[in-house]
Amino acid sequence: PQPADISLLTHTSRYCCCRASPLVCPNQGLIKQLDKIKEARNLEGEERSMLSYARAISVSPFPHVITHSNLKREISKLPYLGEKLLSMVEEFIKTGQINETQGILTSSRFQALSAFTTIHGIGPHTARKLYNLGLRTLEDLERYYEVEPGRCGQETLAVIEAAGRESDEAIVERSIKVALALRHDFSQTIPRAEVEEMNRVVMSELEQIEQGCKSIVVGGYRRGKPQSNDVDIVISHRNWESGAGKIKGLCKRFVRRLHERGLVTHVMHLSGFHEHNALRTHHWDSLEKALTVFVLPGDGSQRRVYRRLDLIFAAPQVFWTAVVGWTGSTMFQRDLRLYAKQQKGFKFDSSGISRRHDSKLFFPKTEREVFELLGLVYVHPTLRNA
Ligand code: ATP
Ligand code: MN
Ligand code: MN
């Protein structure tokens, strides 16, 4: 990180894209406890309450350990820590835990719902639906979805061809089945060296069907996490003029190729093919994306672990907005959008930056330029862990 940039960030801003949020912070214990309450609210669909805990968590990487003596003076200057949250912080300082968190941890409903949502495709809503059917464990889900652990046949080519024509229900059902069958592999985190190896293999395959492409590994890896749950790669082309044309349609073509080569074994979802989002009216981005299952080539001496791999394809003009968007964190992204809207009258998401009043599009040539356009101090990726 550039020290000059860090000193310009303030820990009292309402927007986490104006604050430095390192991966590990001095108040990790407090944050862990608050995070459980946040998760419980999320699982119960209490969006607003969930967000107020998320905000409290994101301001807590306060530069030093929160103690009795600095609580009133310093902490009450922080945004989002209202009376209720402050009393929880106080309770944590006194007892080392928060009563509400202890209650959540022993709740069997919480345990079931949070186990269910570890499966890609199962959100809080689906988790509660499954719980109401009487299901309690992941083994229950295996029986319900008729999935055999470790085995998951898929007509992957047919899935690729059907992209853009499937119903949301069909997509979700397929994702759940794949994620459930391969859950023992997916629960193993991916070390940085393997993330890098996956990127190398992916890019050398890509070079064989389209020359001149480039990539950046984004997601938690780019924020400095030592272990990732999946691998997220943004792909673009080096040529500013001809690149956009080469990126269009590349997603399907490339995933087909990776599948032929035995590297992509399953496709959960291909998106960005039928959304009419030219006016950028949607919340979500309109980039071509492939959410896949990937396995590194081996020498046969040992079984390779199935990994979740997300590929995002961006024209050169929106490469850096895609990189910023997909680097996350989710909270950092959320506040970037909010800041752009409230403070600058801009619309920002992974697929671009535009000015609201005349819809003028901007095409940043570097990551720093994305921040400059939004009037923000550059925040190093490793300080975006809000
Ligand atoms: P890990 O993968 O290790 O759990 P992560 O931060 O990489 O951590 P992901 O779920 O892979 O988590 O998401 C990476 C980032 O990509 C998120 O922070 C989010 O901003 C963005 N993102 C995820 N899904 C989408 C989507 N469908 N559209 C736009 N952006 C997304
Ligand atoms: Mn990720
Ligand atoms: Mn991902």
Side-chain angles (χ1 to χ4, degrees), residues 330-364:
T330 307
M331 272 311 267
F332 192 89
Q333 247 275 74
R334 178 194 283 273
D335 277 0
L336 266 183
R337 270 202 303 267
L338 207 61
Y339 183 93
K341 180 181 169 184
Q342 296 179 339
Q343 303 293 322
K344 299 304 268 188
F346 277 37
K347 182 170 164 54
F348 169 84
D349 68 30
S350 304
S351 51
I353 298 179
S354 53
R355 199 156 59 194
R356 282 176 179 266
H357 75 86
D358 60 358
S359 300
K360 180 182 159 61
L361 295 168
F362 294 86
F363 301 134

Side-chain angles (χ1 to χ4, degrees), residues 120 219 230-232 291 308-310 312 326:
H120 180 96
D230 73 352
V231 177
D232 310 286
L291 314 191
R308 279 267 303 105
L309 170 69
D310 292 343
I312 300 99
W326 280 82

Side-chain angles (χ1 to χ4, degrees), residues 21 38 44 117 123 162 175 214 237 273 289 350 355 381:
S21 310
K38 179 191 114 184
E44 296 301 348
T117 51
S175 297
K214 61 174 177 179
H237 197 274
F273 297 95
K289 298 183 276 285
S350 304
R355 199 156 59 194

